[in-house]
Amino acid sequence: MRSLQWSVHDLRGITMRIGVPKEIKVHEYRVGLTPAGVRELVAAGHEVGVESQAGDGVGIGDAEYQAVGARILATAKDVFAASELIVKVKEPQAAECRMLHAGQVLFTYLHLAADRAQAEALIASGATAIAYETVTAADGSLPLLTPMSEVAGRMSVQVGATSLQKANGGCGVLLGGVPGVPPARVVIIGGGVSGTHAAEMAVGMQADVTIVDRSSKRLRELAVQFGSSIKTVYSTAAAIERLVLDADLVIGAVLVAGAAAPKLVTREMVKRMKAGTVLVDIAIDQGGCFETSQPTTHASPTYVVDGVVHYCVTNMPGAVPRTSTFALTNSTLPYVRALADLGWQRALARDPGFARGLNVHAGKLTFEAVARDLGLPYQPYTFPHG
């Protein structure tokens, strides 16, 4: 293994030192860069250090990274110490926050609006933290959240169907039913990316599907997309209450970019639901859209409140890490290249949508919705001219 420190000779022609640590969240196997991404960055003159075994969970060994020019580093501490730009998947855990320092750039999912402890740790680090989930495209979409929203939406139906099994606490209903026996009633709250992909899966499994959304325009689009395969309902408190009390599976797919999710299913509604109803909260990374939601892990994914099964895993796509890694890095690589080629200030200054990813800089919260939801001071960042 080469020395951890870059020599003067090493630094010639190198624009950025990029580090990819192994993810340490419970049952998180994704990795921040694939070998294809490393190859692009190395060819552009950058140096990439990858923690040993970082890609093992998705079937990518150290040798594959070395073959495209990556340096394999023994520990996360080595990666954080040697890198100007850290590229991850999930929010930094407490131990990782302690390894960050002023002048360093972190590019990953953060979901700070529901995580005061992480926000305070990032503030204390002095680092610059750019969140995948608040980067915005010209059309207003969220290009770095979309691939994982697609995965989570599809997974929500799979895990919901499994949770409906009696042995898993559910009411014992088969999602698609059988001839002569009706299918499960599935209610999807939110018709965005996650909700649409959940609907595709549920319709494919022949469930009785209703999508709830507060946008009449979006409901019309869904009606055109799915035709008579689904029902659409405009979102009101009364409509949600009526639907969830009759549902077998409720999928919460609500998103307010960068902000905490609204609580659309109340504790009182949960008390009145049928025993064995299943709630899957895709919005749990942003605090959840059910009042009874609490974060869970893949190690212990469900719990029961008033007879209702709750699935609230905060890193759902981590259960299918190979699919998720390649889907995510297809979207993040152009942004990583921009950060490496231009430096974070120039890259964000040139792209206002990319600039919306800036959540923390030099001890300040720079994303207004996060600061508001956490009750912490907000300090907008002004990019230097020139």
Side-chain angles (χ1 to χ4, degrees):
M1 184 179 297
R2 295 171 62 191
S3 168
L4 179 62
Q5 299 301 319
W6 277 269
S7 68
V8 173
H9 174 75
D10 286 332
L11 289 171
R12 291 174 187 166
I14 293 174
T15 307
M16 184 73 73
R17 299 190 299 269
I18 304 163
V20 182
K22 182 181 175 72
E23 297 293 327
I24 60 173
K25 188 165 184 171
V26 176
H27 288 290
E28 180 54 71
Y29 305 104
R30 289 173 289 179
V31 63
L33 285 173
T34 62
V38 171
R39 180 175 175 175
E40 296 287 325
L41 292 163
V42 170
H46 307 297
E47 184 96 31
V48 182
V50 179
E51 184 179 352
S52 182
Q53 301 182 332
D56 282 5
V58 296
I60 302 172
D62 290 352
E64 292 184 63
Y65 283 111
Q66 287 177 309
V68 293
R71 174 179 298 180
I72 302 302
L73 302 177
T75 68
K77 184 177 180 180
D78 293 339
V79 173
F80 278 80
S83 305
E84 300 165 278
L85 169 63
I86 300 292
V87 179
K88 280 176 43 62
V89 177
K90 284 307 291 177
E91 68 276 1
Q93 305 300 290
E96 294 172 311
C97 288
R98 289 192 291 271
M99 289 187 281
L100 289 166
H101 58 76
Q104 199 166 43
V105 178
L106 171 68
F107 191 35
T108 189
Y109 287 117
L110 295 177
H111 299 292
L112 293 179
D115 192 345
R116 187 184 182 98
Q118 185 205 164
E120 291 177 339
L122 289 175
I123 289 168
S125 75
T128 297
I130 303 169
Y132 291 162
E133 73 274 7
T134 59
V135 172
T136 307
D139 63 359
S141 64
L142 303 170
L144 306 187
L145 187 62
T146 292
M148 295 303 92
S149 295
E150 292 169 343
V151 172
R154 289 172 178 261
M155 274 194 65
S156 68
V157 177
Q158 292 182 192
V159 299
T162 300
S163 298
L164 278 170
Q165 295 175 23
K166 191 68 174 179
N168 296 326
C171 58
V173 172
L174 182 65
L175 206 65
V178 292
V181 181
R185 290 178 290 273
V186 178
V187 174
I188 301 169
I189 304 176
V193 175
S194 291
T196 301
H197 280 262
E200 287 181 355
M201 293 293 285
V203 167
M205 296 177 74
Q206 300 183 13
D208 178 338
V209 181
T210 300
I211 304 178
V212 183
D213 200 275
R214 64 178 180 177
S215 166
S216 296
K217 178 178 181 290
R218 183 58 188 151
L219 292 176
R220 292 188 191 98
E221 292 169 348
L222 290 165
V224 170
Q225 179 176 348
F226 290 102
S228 60
S229 298
I230 65 164
K231 297 182 281 291
T232 58
V233 173
Y234 185 79
S235 180
T236 65
I240 290 173
E241 181 176 24
R242 172 176 58 83
L243 290 167
V244 301
L245 294 182
D246 195 41
D248 299 300
L249 169 61
V250 181
I251 296 172
V254 178
L255 174 68
V256 179
K263 306 296 186 186
L264 299 180
V265 174
T266 66
R267 188 175 299 274
E268 183 60 32
M269 291 180 196
V270 172
K271 286 181 180 178
R272 295 165 58 200
M273 289 180 187
K274 299 176 299 182
T277 300
V278 173
L279 303 183
V280 177
D281 199 341
I282 299 175
I284 191 62
D285 273 328
Q286 296 294 122
C289 60
F290 309 139
E291 198 171 21
T292 47
S293 290
Q294 296 292 332
T296 63
T297 68
H298 289 295
S300 183
T302 63
Y303 60 93
V304 178
V305 175
D306 294 323
V308 175
V309 179
H310 292 60
Y311 181 102
C312 302
V313 174
T314 55
N315 60 330
M316 288 177 65
V320 285
R322 188 168 178 88
T323 296
S324 298
T325 290
F326 283 89
L328 177 61
T329 56
N330 286 344
S331 297
T332 58
L333 181 58
Y335 292 91
V336 175
R337 271 295 304 267
L339 290 172
D341 291 347
L342 302 173
W344 74 270
Q345 288 182 316
R346 290 175 62 202
L348 271 58
R350 290 186 179 192
D351 182 347
F354 197 3
R356 284 187 56 78
L358 185 64
N359 277 218
V360 181
H361 172 66
K364 304 291 185 181
L365 278 178
T366 57
F367 197 88
E368 187 173 10
V370 168
R372 182 186 64 242
D373 287 341
L374 294 178
L376 293 172
Y378 163 60
Q379 179 64 57
Y381 182 77
T382 302
F383 290 96
H385 295 289

